[in-house]
Structures are given as structure tokens and as C-alpha cells.
Amino acid sequence: MKRTQKMTLTTKVLIGMGLGIVTGLAINLSGLSQPGSLTQIYLVDGLFHIVGKMFVTALKMLVVPLVLFSLISGVIGIGDVRELGKVGVKAFFLYLLTTALAIAAGITVAATLGIGEGVHLSTQSSFTAKEAPPLSSVLIDIIPANIIDAMAEGKMLQIIFFSILLGISILMVGKKAEPVVKLVEISNEIMMAMVNIIMAVAPYAVFALIAKAIAGLGLNLLVDLAGYVVVLIGVLMLHLYGTLMLILRLFARVNPAIFLKKMKDTQVFAFSTSSSNATIPVTLRTVTQRLGVDNSVASFTVPFGATINMDGTAIMQGVATVFIANAYGVQLGLTGYLTVILMSVLASIGTAGVPGVGLIMLSMVFTQVGLPVEGIGLILGVDRLLDMVRTAVNVSGDATVSVIVAKSERKFDPVIYNDPEAGILTTEEAIHIDPSIEEELAQTIETLQEKKS
Ligand code: ASP
């Protein structure tokens, strides 16, 4: 068959990632990444930067219209509005559960291994704390005063709120609103086609993003902080392959190996962009078209998860808290750690999944438990790489919960889930336009114009 001869996009994206790592390492280790060197100016900060930035911006461009249309059509398509509440409550508690398990694992492993004890490192640079927003303002902020403003700012919870309300209102208007239903449905399909276009260039963009990130990594810092880095990555992997897959198996009774296989390119997108938010279009595509979750569930759980669910980030916060507390010789005690867990879970609700936000959340937690915020400077230098890894774990958590909620709501298609070919793309398929349809649509436009004149 055609697909077996032509490489799938997933394979290409993985190759892009591999080549990106090799190129980045080569530039870094050969010293070509020194500031002012030609390679740095024209390649790393030039070509790689431009290609990478254009790609991430293109993904971000898709997020708001995609969430809007898919969620409105999801609400209309759910069949019974009461289901909506159930989906929301289930997703919310599962997100809280996975985040709490994640941070607890981070703290337990790091504390057992005693990481950070006897570390005498200078802080890389200063870090200024940010106050955690009070829960009251997180709640008030769910409601947009101006939806255009919310969309312009990409405020996900506000967009979710508005879309749900709009979907319900369309249902209330009923039969008369049918043209709007059709418009939303078709617009959703069109946005998904746009996701495919962006996917077609992903292998090159992923290469550029990863090569740039790795070229700029302080590799000697990685060695200095090896304890922290290894423990953190270890717990991240434990959570991804252990906890999440166990939960998936127990709650959804599906084969985790298939899930992991199909999530690969979404994880690479998250890894290379360091942003769960920018990855929403790809996560949504994978969850609906490859994992068999109905759009009525996924259109809510995916953007909701990208905002409130950050398992990888929670793990980082747990491990970093222990590391810095030990490095500064501060005893946090059980209450201290419980406060850390509670604060991290709360902090994750109000903060969006964008690059580096984990450190800001950490500073909120530190101010609450009285740990020195300047301690964050210790880990700042290695955070770029760790942000990439934890974002991949964050999106995997969102997808896991989406499958579980869909399965429990009978909005899950096991045939799609179990079909290895479902939703898979090649570059040609991603940007395919059927010539006969092209002609037909041109005809339609012509007829319409003729009618007008
Ligand atoms: N970059 C992460 C995300 O987008 C958040 C963080 O840990 O900084 O999910």
C-alpha cells in the first residue's frame, strides 16, 4: 500500500528530532555556539530561530479558533447537556488526582535519595518571586468580561467558558439555529485541515527547534546538577510509563502500549515547543483521530488539561523543592511538604501551559512555604531542557485523562484506538486537495457571482 512506501509524518518528525539533537550537540560541543560566532548568528539565532519561531507561532494561531469551534460543536454533539457536567467533574478530579500523584512521587523519590544535600552551588542568576493569585481571582477570571479580549490574550479557561455557554445557547434556540450548527461543524473540520497543513512542515520545524535548544544548553551545568536532572527525568519517566499507564489500564481498560505508540509525535511536538498550549491542536488531533475519543469529550478535556493539568511540572516542583530545601539546609517537615503539594496543585489551575511557567509556579510555592526564592537560580540553567521533557509528560497526562473520561461516558471508539493506521498521515495526505472538488468549488463561486450580476 502507498503508506508503507511513503514515510509517515510521525517517522519524519522523529527523524527531525533525532537530527536536531545530533546537530545541536555538535554545535554545542564544538564550541560553535559561542556568542558572536558565525554559526551562532546565522544558523542558531538565524535560520533555526526563525523557522522554529514561525512554526510555534503558527501552532498558537490555530489554538483559539480550533478550541472555539471544536468545543461549541462538542457541546452541541454531546447528546444531552447534563452529560457535560459529568465530563467536567470527572476530568477536573482526574486532573487533580494525577497532578497530586505526580508531585507526591517527585517529593518522595527526591527526599528518599536526599538530593541537594551538601550541594554548594552558586546561583546562576537572580530570580524574582511572583505572588500566587488568590483562589478567588482564579475563579472570577474564568468569566470573560470581553470575549474578543479573552481570545486575543488566549485565555483558555475564559474561552472554554464562553464556548460552552454558546453551545448551550445554540441548543436552546433549537431548530432555527441549524445553519449555525452546520457552520460550526464545518469550521471545525476546516480548522482540523489547517492543523494538517502545519503538521506537514513539522519535521523541519522540530529539527530547528530542537537543534537551537540543544546548541544553547549549558552542558557543563548539566553535569554539575546531574543529581537533580537524573532524579527529575527518572520520576518523569516513572510517572509517564508507570502511574499514567496504570491509571489508563485500570480506569479505561485499554492497552497502554498502543497509547504510547500513538502519542509519540504529540510528545515530540510538546518536547520541541515546551508548550502544552501550543500543542493543543496536535493533542486534539491525536486524541480524536488516533485514540478514538469523541470530539464532544476531547474538545473540552484537551484545552482544559493544557491549562489546569501539568503532571510533569508538578513533578519538577516536588523534586526542586526537596533539592533546594536540602541545598539550603531547610527542614520542611511533613506539613511543609503537604503545603507544597496543595500549593502546586492550586498554582497549576490558574497558570497556562507555556514555556518556563513551571519556574514561576515554583516561586509562588516557595513564597508560601518560606523557602528562599533565590534558590531557584540554582536550577535555572538546566530548566530549558527539563521544561521540554516535562511538557511531553504534561500533554500525555491530558490525553490519558481524555481517554478515561471518554471511555466512562461511552464516547470512545475502540476500533479507532486499536487500529494502528487510524488518523496516521503522510506529508502528501496532510496537504492533499482533490482536483475535482477544487473545480467544483470554483464552479460554485462562479455561479454565485453570475447570479449576483
Ligand atoms: N512548559 C510547560 C507546559 O507548557 C509548563 C512548565 O512546566 O513550565 O506544559
Side-chain angles (χ1 to χ4, degrees):
M1 161 175 187
K2 198 173 81 198
R3 188 169 287 133
T4 44
Q5 292 148 16
K6 294 214 173 94
M7 228 188 260
T8 65
L9 263 173
T10 308
T11 317
K12 284 191 183 170
V13 166
L14 289 174
I15 294 176
M17 172 167 122
L19 290 177
I21 294 176
V22 174
T23 313
L25 275 179
I27 294 176
N28 187 298
L29 296 175
S30 60
L32 287 174
S33 58
Q34 297 302 329
S37 79
L38 287 184
T39 324
Q40 183 65 22
I41 297 174
Y42 291 109
L43 204 59
V44 179
D45 287 338
L47 187 66
F48 294 170
H49 174 71
I50 297 169
V51 173
K53 193 84 190 170
M54 285 171 85
F55 176 69
V56 177
T57 312
L59 278 173
K60 284 194 201 152
M61 166 185 87
L62 298 182
V63 174
V64 174
L66 184 61
V67 170
L68 193 74
F69 290 127
S70 69
L71 192 47
I72 300 172
S73 94
V75 173
I76 300 169
I78 203 158
D80 179 356
V81 188
R82 273 164 301 182
E83 293 292 310
L84 210 63
K86 276 207 281 173
V87 170
V89 170
K90 279 185 193 170
F92 183 68
F93 282 106
L94 278 169
Y95 281 145
L96 288 192
L97 173 77
T98 54
T99 309
L101 284 176
I103 185 162
I107 292 178
T108 314
V109 175
T112 315
L113 297 173
I115 63 157
E117 278 165 12
V119 165
H120 298 289
L121 286 169
S122 56
T123 50
Q124 300 307 317
S125 48
S126 59
F127 195 87
T128 30
K130 249 198 150 177
E131 283 278 312
L135 191 60
S136 57
S137 74
V138 172
L139 290 176
I140 294 170
D141 273 351
I142 294 177
I143 303 183
N146 181 335
I147 187 61
I148 308 287
D149 186 47
M151 289 201 259
E153 302 265 321
K155 290 190 176 148
M156 210 43 72
L157 292 184
Q158 300 196 343
I159 298 170
I160 293 177
F161 179 83
F162 180 78
S163 310
I164 294 180
L165 217 54
L166 194 59
I168 295 176
S169 310
I170 292 174
L171 286 174
M172 284 166 65
V173 170
K175 201 98 186 101
K176 257 191 291 175
E178 224 164 63
V180 183
V181 175
K182 274 197 191 131
L183 181 76
V184 168
E185 194 53 41
I186 296 166
S187 304
N188 185 28
E189 227 177 278
I190 294 173
M191 288 315 298
M192 272 297 176
M194 220 189 266
V195 175
N196 287 356
I197 302 178
I198 308 290
M199 298 274 286
V201 295
Y204 312 97
V206 163
F207 165 80
L209 281 168
I210 292 182
K212 176 169 191 272
I214 306 260
L217 279 186
L219 288 179
N220 25 3
L221 261 177
L222 231 48
V223 178
D224 285 346
L225 289 165
Y228 170 69
V229 174
V230 169
V231 171
L232 179 46
I233 295 185
V235 184
L236 285 171
M237 293 306 118
L238 187 75
H239 185 75
L240 171 59
Y241 294 105
T243 316
L244 286 180
M245 291 310 103
L246 195 68
I247 295 181
L248 185 70
R249 178 89 233 175
L250 283 179
F251 287 125
R253 295 178 200 287
V254 292
N255 181 351
I258 298 177
F259 177 89
L260 288 170
K261 197 153 178 257
K262 293 192 171 186
M263 276 299 289
K264 251 192 271 162
D265 45 1
T266 312
Q267 287 165 341
V268 175
F269 270 75
F271 180 80
S272 50
T273 58
S274 290
S275 169
S276 325
N277 257 29
T279 312
I280 288 176
V282 186
T283 318
L284 199 54
R285 185 185 185 281
T286 305
V287 167
T288 50
Q289 298 183 11
R290 303 217 61 208
L291 294 172
V293 174
D294 192 82
N295 181 55
S296 58
V297 169
S299 62
F300 170 72
T301 52
V302 170
F304 190 48
T307 313
I308 76 155
N309 182 55
M310 294 179 204
D311 296 356
T313 307
I315 291 172
M316 178 278 278
Q317 295 186 47
V319 175
T321 305
V322 175
F323 180 78
I324 294 169
N326 280 345
Y328 278 81
V330 181
Q331 295 290 334
L332 275 181
L334 190 62
T335 1
Y337 282 122
L338 286 178
T339 318
V340 171
I341 296 185
L342 190 69
M343 279 312 301
S344 306
V345 174
L346 286 181
S348 71
I349 298 180
T351 31
V354 292
V357 79
L359 285 187
I360 297 172
M361 287 156 68
L362 191 63
S363 76
M364 296 174 183
V365 175
F366 274 26
T367 355
Q368 290 291 322
V369 293
L371 271 174
V373 175
E374 20 354 313
I376 296 179
L378 279 178
I379 51 168
L380 207 57
V382 288
D383 199 65
R384 179 75 188 85
L385 173 75
L386 297 171
D387 192 6
M388 297 166 85
V389 185
R390 67 179 182 251
T391 308
V393 177
N394 289 348
V395 299
S396 308
D398 302 343
T400 307
V401 170
S402 302
V403 172
I404 296 173
V405 173
K407 184 82 194 289
S408 75
E409 288 294 312
R410 289 197 208 89
K411 298 278 180 197
F412 171 77
D413 186 343
V415 178
I416 297 185
Y417 187 92
N418 291 316
D419 175 7
E421 297 269 309
I424 213 163
L425 269 186
T426 63
T427 313
E428 292 70 17
E429 287 162 341
I431 44 179
H432 176 72
I433 297 177
D434 187 334
S436 62
I437 294 192
E438 209 172 358
E439 222 165 272
E440 220 173 276
L441 287 180
Q443 284 284 341
T444 316
I445 298 270
E446 226 167 82
T447 330
L448 284 174
Q449 280 168 350
E450 268 166 23
K451 262 192 204 157
K452 245 196 277 168
S453 54

